[in-house]
């Protein structure tokens, strides 16, 4: 029996999809749960180890491609029916069959409505992904939100909804998507609690797939430049409805450098040509928004903080192939002042020459500075199997 949480240790886009996919294919997993967030996420996998077969998952767990595993969209998530139906259609084209043994959606997950998207786009100082995530979670916290279960079970709400004149361009496809979900997939929208409990009782192996990253956590991230869900280990357990006592392992995923999309503090940001090279060589464009990602150096003050909040047992380092293309890499190990998580202080760096030929001493340095979690996986390329177990 195991419950493994796989979490982004930076500001998102660490390659969690690939690590989850690899983990599920190499260690026997029975269930993969997405606990929080919504279509603001974009988890990329290259199928069949072929870089022309790129799939970006936004709401469905990356475990969907691992055979005989049940994927769950958990209670802590928010769902846009349009993107969900689009995603399901795309995956069906790739041979995924949706039934009660492959995908379940918690009836407690909240629906993102067109007005949430409109509100999100209105005044976007934070640089959100514009997917209505914050406004939807705000409706939930205000207790005026509508869960997907309630929506489909209560015909009055559906009737009311039909009467509402939605001044939005995508209204037609929104209503169409709801109808498709209701007509074709309503058997997948259930109370997932008894099923998760059954798996725990039967000592099965469960993976919790985090979305975004610890520094975007609503409570512990760089507030207010954060997302609106809990991206911590505790948040993942909560969004899945799994008691903390069942957790067996937490894996933090981080890049050999740092990126962030949207506004907010980024102490190790590099605005020189080095940062630009990270951006182009690392293909650092948002997988959902297409936006250029801000780039900078690996920041161990930030990573240690993430590790303390999330309790990482193990770490997966990704994009090692990108940092190998550089003559040197810089790693931040301290800041000029102590306001670690909020103020954009100057980072103090250790410089390492020729990362390609010095990987073991660099990885050792990272582990020493973090004093706890061990680096157990290293991803050295975009393909599905470009991962070394250490
Ligand atoms: P929201 O989650 O769309 O509200 O965006 C809030 C902040 O989180 C913005 O800075 C986004 O760029 C960032 N963000 C949200 N989701 C992701 C993600 O999956 N990867 C990276 N950044 C994200
Ligand atoms: Mg992403």
């Amino acid at each position: 029996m195991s419950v493994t949480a796989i979490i982004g240790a930076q500001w998102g886009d660490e390659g969690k999809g690939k690590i989850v996919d690899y983990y599920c294919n190499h260690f026997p997993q029975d269930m993969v749960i997405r606990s929080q967030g919504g279509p603001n996420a974009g988890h990329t996998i290259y199928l069949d180890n072929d870089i022309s077969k790129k799939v970006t998952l936004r709401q469905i767990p990356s475990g969907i491609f691992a055979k005989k595993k049940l994927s769950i969209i958990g209670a802590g998530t928010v769902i846009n029916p349009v993107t969900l139906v689009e995603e399901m259609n795309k995956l069906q084209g790739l041979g995924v069959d949706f039934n009660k043994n492959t995908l379940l959606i918690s009836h407690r997950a909240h629906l993102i409505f067109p007005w949430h998207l409109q509100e999100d786009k209105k005044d976007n100082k934070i640089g959100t992904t514009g997917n209505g995530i914050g406004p939807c979670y705000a409706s939930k916290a205000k207790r005026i939100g509508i869960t997907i279960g309630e929506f489909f079970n209560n015909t009055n709400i559906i009737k009311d909804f039909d009467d509402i004149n939605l001044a939005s361009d995508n209204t037609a496809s929104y209503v169409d998507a709801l109808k498709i979900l209701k007509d074709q997939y309503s058997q997948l929208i259930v109370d997932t609690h008894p099923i998760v409990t059954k798996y725990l009782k039967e000592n099965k192996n469960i993976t919790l797939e985090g979305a975004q990253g610890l520094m975007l956590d609503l409570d512990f991230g760089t507030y207010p430049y954060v997302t609106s869900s809990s991206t911590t280990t505790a948040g993942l357990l909560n969004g899945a409805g799994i008691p903390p006592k069942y957790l067996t392992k937490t894996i933090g995923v981080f890049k050999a450098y740092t990126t962030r999309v949207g506004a907010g503090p980024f102490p190790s940001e590099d605005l020189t040509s080095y940062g630009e090279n990270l951006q182009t060589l690392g293909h650092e464009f948002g997988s959902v928004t297409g936006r250029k990602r801000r780039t900078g150096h690996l920041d161990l003050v930030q990573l240690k903080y993430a590790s303390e909040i999330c309790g990482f047992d193990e770490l997966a380092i990704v994009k090692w192939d990108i940092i190998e293309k550089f003559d040197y890499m810089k790693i931040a190990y301290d800041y000029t002042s102590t306001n670690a998580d909020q103020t954009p202080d100057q980072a103090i760096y250790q410089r390492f020459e020729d990362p390609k030929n010095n990987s073991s001493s660099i990885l050792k340095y990272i582990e020493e500075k973090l004093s706890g979690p061990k680096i157990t996986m290293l991803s050295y390329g975009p393909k599905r199997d470009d991962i070394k177990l250490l």
Side-chain angles (χ1 to χ4, degrees):
M1 178 316 247
S2 64
V3 175
T4 308
I6 299 183
I7 296 182
Q10 295 162 319
W11 276 278
D13 306 311
E14 299 91 349
K16 294 172 290 290
K18 182 180 171 180
I19 298 296
V20 168
D21 176 64
Y22 185 89
Y23 194 76
C24 290
N25 282 315
H26 289 77
F27 303 95
Q29 297 299 302
D30 303 295
M31 179 182 273
V32 185
I33 309 177
R34 270 280 311 266
S35 300
Q36 40 74 227
N40 48 348
H43 294 180
T44 303
I45 299 172
Y46 295 95
L47 295 180
D48 304 332
N49 230 13
D50 178 346
I51 53 167
S52 69
K53 292 191 182 167
K54 179 176 167 173
V55 189
T56 301
L57 295 164
R58 298 179 61 182
Q59 290 168 116
I60 294 173
S62 304
I64 196 76
F65 293 112
K67 297 254 170 344
K68 293 194 192 144
K69 285 155 192 82
L70 174 57
S71 289
I72 292 197
I73 300 177
T77 64
V78 290
I79 294 174
N80 180 332
V82 178
T83 45
L84 181 62
V85 166
E86 277 171 10
E87 196 167 317
M88 291 175 87
N89 288 341
K90 190 174 68 187
L91 295 185
Q92 272 169 338
L94 294 166
V96 175
D97 179 28
F98 290 107
N99 59 60
K100 285 187 115 164
N101 298 316
T102 59
L103 179 71
L104 293 175
I105 300 164
S106 169
H107 71 317
R108 294 175 188 277
H110 275 251
L111 278 176
I112 300 169
F113 285 97
W115 50 84
H116 291 138
L117 288 142
Q118 284 164 3
E119 198 187 321
D120 201 12
K121 280 169 185 153
K122 238 186 266 162
D123 178 21
N124 195 353
K125 285 197 198 78
I126 288 166
T128 71
T129 64
N131 281 293
I133 306 297
C136 181
Y137 277 115
S139 294
K140 175 180 172 177
K142 282 199 253 174
R143 291 147 299 175
I144 55 168
I146 299 175
T147 65
I148 192 163
E150 186 187 1
F151 190 84
F152 286 146
N153 289 332
N154 184 340
T155 45
N156 284 331
I157 295 181
I158 297 176
K159 194 179 150 297
D160 287 351
F161 187 79
D162 267 347
D163 292 344
I164 295 170
N165 177 21
L166 292 166
S168 158
D169 296 343
N170 65 0
T171 301
S173 67
Y174 189 88
V175 174
D176 290 346
L178 283 173
K179 283 186 179 144
I180 291 170
L181 278 182
K182 188 167 167 53
D183 295 345
Q184 297 178 30
Y185 299 116
S186 56
Q187 77 281 8
L188 306 185
I189 299 159
V190 297
D191 181 359
T192 52
H193 164 66
I195 296 142
V196 173
T197 303
K198 182 169 169 280
Y199 272 58
L200 289 170
K201 288 218 169 101
E202 290 174 355
N203 293 320
K204 301 234 164 138
N205 299 319
I206 301 176
T207 294
L208 304 177
E209 174 176 351
Q212 290 78 49
L214 186 270
M215 299 308 281
L216 292 170
D217 178 72
L218 183 58
D219 295 301
F220 293 100
T222 44
Y223 189 88
Y225 302 99
V226 294
T227 191
S228 299
S229 66
S230 290
T231 61
T232 61
T233 311
L236 262 56
L237 288 163
N238 198 53
I242 294 182
K245 68 176 179 180
Y246 289 104
L247 182 74
T248 46
K249 197 197 290 182
T250 304
I251 303 174
V253 187
F254 70 105
K255 280 179 188 166
Y257 48 95
T258 309
T259 63
R260 122 163 254 182
V261 225
F266 184 174
S268 67
E269 184 164 19
D270 190 320
L271 298 169
T272 71
S273 58
Y274 193 105
E276 262 173 48
N277 289 337
L278 281 173
Q279 203 262 315
T280 39
L281 294 171
H283 312 289
E284 296 298 349
F285 294 91
S287 60
V288 170
T289 57
R291 286 183 293 177
K292 245 188 199 181
R293 294 177 183 144
R294 296 159 64 193
T295 49
H297 305 281
L298 179 61
D299 180 348
L300 297 183
V301 183
Q302 178 275 306
L303 205 56
K304 190 164 199 298
Y305 173 74
S307 187
E308 285 162 358
I309 299 286
C310 293
F312 297 139
D313 300 296
E314 296 181 13
L315 294 166
I317 183 166
V318 309
K319 295 230 169 175
W320 187 257
D321 53 317
I322 306 302
I323 213 72
E324 273 189 352
K325 295 186 171 125
F326 288 80
D327 294 340
Y328 69 94
M329 78 185 278
K330 292 202 306 186
I331 302 182
Y333 63 92
D334 204 353
Y335 298 154
T336 48
S337 102
T338 48
N339 281 335
D341 63 317
Q342 288 298 326
T343 352
D345 306 304
Q346 278 301 115
I348 307 171
Y349 297 102
Q350 175 79 41
R351 181 178 158 133
F352 292 88
E353 304 302 323
D354 190 13
K356 189 174 171 64
N357 291 305
N358 289 306
S359 63
S360 53
S361 59
I362 295 169
L363 298 187
K364 193 160 159 253
Y365 176 82
I366 297 169
E367 284 183 344
E368 271 169 17
K369 285 285 176 203
L370 297 179
S371 58
K374 296 285 165 243
I375 301 172
T376 55
M377 284 187 244
L378 181 143
S379 167
Y380 56 87
K383 286 191 286 181
R384 207 176 188 180
D385 287 337
D386 288 345
I387 291 181
K388 205 159 49 182
L389 292 177
L390 304 175

